[in-house]
Amino acid sequence: MLTDDGSALATALAEALQGQGWTPVILRFAGISAFGNSKRKAFSKETSVIELSSSAETELQSSLKSFSEKHGSFGGFIHLHPAAKSSSETKLEDGTNAFLKQAFLSAKNIYPALRESAQSRNRRSHFLAVARLDGELGMGSGAFNAPSSGLSGLIKTAGVEWPDVFCRFLDLQPELKAETAANCILQELQDPDLRISEVGYSASGKSGTARMTVKPKNVRDLTTAKAGKSLNEKSVFLVSGGARGVTAECVVKLAETQPCNFILLGRSPLEDEPEWAKSVGEDKIKLKQAAMQVLIEKGEKPTPQKVNQLVGKVEAGRAIRKNMERIQNAGGQAEYVSADVTDAKKMKAAIAPAFKKYGAVTGVIHGAGVLADKLIEKKTAEDYDAVCSTKIDGINALLKSVNPKNLTHLLLFSSAAGFYGNAGQSDYAMGNEALNRIALLFKQNHPECHVTSFNWGPWEGGMVSPELKKLFEERNVEVISVEAGTRVFVEEVSSAGQVNPLVLIGNSMVVPNEAETDLRKWEITREINLPANPIFKDHAIGDNPVLPAVHAMSWMADACEQGLPGFKLSRCSNFKVLNGVKFDKSIADKYTLDLQEIEREDGKYAEIEVKVSSKSGVGNSGNNRPRFHYSTQVRLEQQLPKAPLHDRIDLSNTHNLPGAAFYQDGTLFHGPKFQGIEQVLNINEQGLTLECSLLENSGLEEGQFASQDFNPFALDLAFQAMLIWAWRFHRSGSLPLKTETFEHFRKVPFETRFYLSMSVNRNSATALSANLFLHDEAGLMYARMTGAEVTLSKSLNALFGKK
């Protein structure tokens, strides 16, 4: 099923899907024609169209049911979100933003069909959401409609809740032609990488496209950083949700370190405490008993709802007064205003007296939030409105109530639930992902303002009970203490030299799927060539670029990680080079990775056998028998073991032979991109020690073999070390054959000095076996390779250019 966005993309994609053997069905929302292109090509006569006359969920449900009864279930759902006419569409009901709810409700009602399809058909079912931001997931330099990026949060949560459905968010640059955009969507439909949830495509070159994804690079840990002083006693903050909860704790901490003025917004009216509650302390049971007595005296039945309402008002009032007092005791000033944070007009009128008292607002903190945690199929339109409007309409109202030019700070409380997705929080993830893009857009338009969107993980206390905290700890989910979280907030607010407005505090709350019990078997095909992977021009033996053995190992390990998100490479066993891949006439049309799970313990580890083979191509003599190139057994673990220690390097007793000499004299054939050996610190018959550092390469250079959690360029230096030793003691070149075990503990960083120690196991005129250890100066290991074996031959010397 494909939603009609009114553009030429819808017709182009329907046509492309038909060409791939799909039967597209068009779902057209009421009102979409106002945003359409009347001159676009019409859908083919064979294409079915479901036309909705209203936005009511009941009509959507009846239409889907009627169609399914006649034609069967759907194998996929692609939502094409209409392009906004203006980036000024900032409220949920503005322009194309109104279709976000329709996408949300459509996903909810189509999921049963997707689940049925995944269980009954051989090919996977899918859910894709396509928006037209800037082609760079909001991280480019052009204007875009920020609220539509909330679809990313929906997709991420669907991916968590629906493990049997392939889910992905696409941001297609508006300038892409319809046919190009359709091809991008088809490409993503076939992608085997289940770790990726969002992708951007922008124009590149004359007719090409550039693909980008987002990784959690800007993860802020909870260690102490140096705080600056960018605020003063004249600073005025307008704070939503700042009178209670986590936001209040952050405001109090800010007042303690940098006293200023705070206008606190909240939904609860601040009334004088009733007489019946004044004599009752903080004991909630006694408060409830007193509330019940009051209701009985009034002749009312003390139902739990009425009792909780009375007690809630008292507790809210107490919390507000207490936090205002804490701010004032810290040296700041605070005033509380009861207002609906989603209504700009009413809020502006309510805060006018406070503006007059404190002067122009210089900072906005948007911490208000509403939760309605349920699985997507249990959500209601009212849940969506309440949760998303608090985030999206809330920041819209706040910014319309102030002069943006006066702002020195814009601080938004987003959530890791939006960045990663989290079960039960699809609407919350949508609101927070939109908030992240609003932050990026505001920073773009107001570069002088300090803009930070805090993607918080779970906080201790409040929503995280002791029982839930224990569960999080068992799953290696970091829980933020109030002390650590408030300190990080103040440090980020007062820091100078801001690089990225998006700050991620905490890790994913998603754990690998434990429900799946069957061992998986799957295959991945890939076409590889030199233009797509130009970095291998620097790995040429003679005139022929060759795929490095370590990149083949990385390729196989990465394929396993793609199929089992949440697990990381721990070990490769019995790795063999059977027929290396050369970028010459022998290159095959395509290469197939066959992956077979042979063992798994839910949530802990998985063992997968991997083989790389090819069938067609000039070098395969036209027969249909597979030609095997590489094989290994990969072990993935959810939590990698701690890195062990190797002997500490003694830098006082070294030979210090320059590494550059080995690249220049032909001992090593590697070009600049693979040259990481800076010095040979020592070398003897027992082994050697190298000092290394690698320059970082661009993703475009690395192409299809871009490094993920494992750095193959660092491991390639291990085989370079064996080459150096082979030449010194046998006057021979060498090529990799196999490795008994490769253990991965942590990624070797680029642009950082590290060391490689080699210990010889056995050697002869034709073979060398060694153990190799990659570690830092203190001896803490990055990786360990045991039983690495290379073949030695003097005939290789001329090919390497040895002088």
Side-chain angles (χ1 to χ4, degrees), residues 90-406:
T90 53
K91 294 185 68 178
L92 274 177
E93 60 267 29
D94 286 350
T96 60
N97 295 343
F99 296 106
L100 290 171
K101 184 196 286 189
Q102 297 304 304
F104 177 80
L105 295 174
S106 297
K108 166 192 169 180
N109 286 284
I110 289 175
Y111 172 59
L114 299 182
R115 180 178 55 204
E116 179 186 340
S117 176
Q119 294 171 351
S120 61
R121 301 184 185 186
N122 289 328
R123 57 177 166 182
R124 65 187 180 184
S125 60
H126 57 260
F127 171 30
L128 271 66
V130 182
R132 312 302 289 265
L133 305 181
D134 57 0
E136 298 180 59
L137 299 170
M139 299 179 187
S141 57
F144 60 89
N145 173 256
S148 61
S149 64
L151 290 166
S152 173
L154 174 60
I155 283 289
K156 291 172 184 176
T157 303
V160 176
E161 294 185 16
W162 305 344
D164 45 2
V165 178
F166 174 76
C167 300
R168 185 155 296 177
F169 171 73
L170 276 74
D171 168 25
L172 303 180
Q173 188 181 39
E175 289 77 15
L176 290 179
K177 292 182 179 180
E179 290 74 18
T180 302
N183 286 332
C184 292
I185 295 171
L186 288 183
Q187 181 176 324
E188 294 306 312
L189 280 174
Q190 305 301 323
D191 188 16
D193 196 343
L194 302 182
R195 300 166 303 180
I196 298 173
S197 56
E198 53 186 348
V199 174
Y201 280 94
S202 56
S204 176
K206 291 184 179 180
S207 57
T209 56
R211 181 179 187 262
M212 64 93 71
T213 61
V214 174
K215 297 178 184 178
K217 287 186 175 180
N218 195 30
V219 180
R220 172 67 151 85
D221 60 30
L222 298 177
T223 56
T224 302
K226 186 176 181 181
K229 188 170 178 63
S230 57
L231 305 173
N232 56 52
E233 63 278 358
K234 293 184 179 180
S235 298
V236 180
F237 277 95
L238 180 62
V239 189
S240 72
R244 292 191 289 164
V246 167
T247 312
E249 294 295 335
C250 290
V251 167
V252 170
K253 188 70 172 180
L254 186 59
E256 289 174 353
T257 55
Q258 302 194 38
C260 42
N261 307 290
F262 299 94
I263 303 170
L264 308 178
L265 300 173
R267 289 171 294 179
S268 305
L270 186 57
E271 301 170 345
D272 292 337
E273 188 161 301
E275 291 297 326
W276 64 265
K278 288 181 179 179
S279 60
V280 184
E282 300 296 324
D283 190 316
K284 192 159 189 172
I285 294 177
K286 291 183 178 180
L287 266 176
K288 285 187 175 183
Q289 290 172 343
M292 289 172 66
Q293 186 61 38
V294 168
L295 290 169
I296 291 172
E297 290 174 357
K298 289 182 178 180
E300 298 181 31
K301 186 178 180 180
T303 63
Q305 182 179 11
K306 289 182 178 180
V307 171
N308 289 333
Q309 283 178 344
L310 286 177
V311 171
K313 286 182 180 179
V314 171
E315 289 182 327
R318 288 179 176 180
I320 294 168
R321 293 186 190 90
K322 181 180 178 180
N323 287 325
M324 290 178 65
E325 184 179 349
R326 291 169 68 195
I327 292 170
Q328 289 163 354
N329 290 340
Q333 296 294 320
E335 183 158 336
Y336 180 79
V337 178
S338 176
D340 180 357
V341 73
T342 66
D343 191 320
K345 187 175 181 180
K346 290 181 179 179
M347 184 171 69
K348 197 168 185 178
I351 58 181
F355 280 18
K356 189 174 181 180
K357 178 179 178 181
Y358 293 112
V361 169
T362 59
V364 168
I365 302 175
H366 185 29
V370 172
L371 293 178
D373 290 1
K374 301 172 192 170
L375 295 177
I376 292 172
E377 54 265 39
K378 302 293 184 182
K379 291 281 187 181
T380 66
E382 291 73 25
D383 293 332
Y384 171 89
D385 290 337
V387 176
C388 288
S389 65
T390 303
K391 289 294 181 182
I392 300 174
D393 290 347
I395 187 58
N396 175 69
L398 287 166
L399 292 176
K400 284 187 175 180
S401 299
V402 302
N403 184 350
K405 294 180 180 179
N406 291 334

Side-chain angles (χ1 to χ4, degrees), residues 524-537:
I524 298 172
T525 59
R526 176 186 280 185
E527 296 177 12
I528 60 175
N529 54 63
L530 197 58
N533 305 280
I535 202 158
F536 296 137
K537 292 177 182 177

Side-chain angles (χ1 to χ4, degrees), residues 5-32:
D5 67 342
S7 75
L9 173 58
T11 51
L13 180 57
E15 193 172 281
L17 288 169
Q18 284 177 322
Q20 295 287 320
W22 292 88
T23 303
V25 177
I26 307 303
L27 178 62
R28 185 174 292 148
F29 296 135
I32 198 68

